[in-house]
């Protein structure tokens, strides 16, 4: 269900993450959210078919965001091509429009994301990037981690 293009993920870790993704997606499909998890569906930019992947929905100051901790993966490319998507938890489906943030706007969102989910995705950010990293460090890595602000349609 999830794409992996990050060379830092080793075979054993990849297998564990694939299993976790299936578990999180399965729970979200039946209506159980683990710390904000949802199933994101976006139309494929070439096929036009719906593609789904589990994601962590982050809320900061009342605004909601999707962060791509694995970088510029397929769901990110698809969301850039067609900014409308769906977030589901159980039978509740929300249609949204996504707005990609520019790199200078990302540090505080990345910081909040790492505070909440570093235990799950910290390895993708590398050993030098943590929630308490200086803003300069977060700005330096920002181009590698797409962030989308979610607007309900």
């Amino acid at each position: 269900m999830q794409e992996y293009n990050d060379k830092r993920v080793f075979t054993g870790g990849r297998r564990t993450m694939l299993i976790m993704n299936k578990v999180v997606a399965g729970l979200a499909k039946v209506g159980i959210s683990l710390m904000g998890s949802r199933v994101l569906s976006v139309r494929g930019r070439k096929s036009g078919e719906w593609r789904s992947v589990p994601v962590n929905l982050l809320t900061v100051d009342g605004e909601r965001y999707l962060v791509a901790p694995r970088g510029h993966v397929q769901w990110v490319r698809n969301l850039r091509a067609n900014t409308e998507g769906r977030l589901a938890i159980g039978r509740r489906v929300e249609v949204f429009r996504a707005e990609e943030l520019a790199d200078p706007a990302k540090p505080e969102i990345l910081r909040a994301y790492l505070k909440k989910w570093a235990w799950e995705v910290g390895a993708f950010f590398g050993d030098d990037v943590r929630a308490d990293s200086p803003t300069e460090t977060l700005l330096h890595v920002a181009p590698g981690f797409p962030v989308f602000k979610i607007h309900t349609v």
Side-chain angles (χ1 to χ4, degrees):
M1 183 176 262
Q2 174 69 36
E3 313 94 26
Y4 292 93
N5 66 356
D6 192 317
K7 303 294 185 230
R8 293 175 285 186
V9 177
F10 56 94
T11 305
R14 180 177 180 181
R15 189 173 305 119
T16 300
M17 281 184 258
L18 286 170
I19 292 167
M20 282 300 297
N21 274 351
K22 287 182 181 188
V23 169
V24 170
L27 290 171
K29 285 180 183 176
V30 298
I32 300 170
S33 174
L34 296 178
M35 296 181 64
S37 62
R38 300 286 190 279
V39 175
L40 167 67
S41 298
V42 182
R43 286 202 183 270
R45 63 193 178 281
K46 295 177 184 175
S47 70
E49 295 180 20
W50 287 99
R51 305 292 184 194
S52 298
V53 62
V55 294
N56 294 322
L57 182 64
L58 176 69
T59 301
V60 176
D61 296 330
E63 301 290 345
R64 297 175 315 143
Y65 300 90
L66 290 175
V67 176
R70 291 169 181 88
H72 301 272
V73 292
Q74 295 301 323
W75 72 259
V76 169
R77 293 181 187 114
N78 290 338
L79 197 53
R80 285 175 176 151
N82 180 4
T83 61
E84 189 171 293
R86 300 186 293 203
L87 288 170
I89 184 71
R91 293 183 180 175
R92 291 179 311 203
V93 177
E94 172 190 2
V95 178
F96 70 89
R97 183 183 56 78
E99 170 191 359
E100 188 166 6
L101 299 185
D103 293 339
K106 292 179 186 178
E108 291 312 310
I109 304 305
L110 293 176
R111 186 179 316 284
Y113 192 83
L114 285 166
K115 280 182 184 174
K116 190 164 186 179
W117 288 294
W119 60 273
E120 179 185 357
V121 298
F124 295 108
F125 286 83
D127 295 334
D128 299 337
V129 182
R130 296 178 309 279
D132 61 355
S133 293
T135 300
E136 295 77 27
T137 301
L138 295 172
L139 276 170
H140 179 73
V141 301
F145 300 99
V147 176
F148 296 89
K149 186 174 182 180
I150 300 302
H151 302 278
T152 302
V153 174

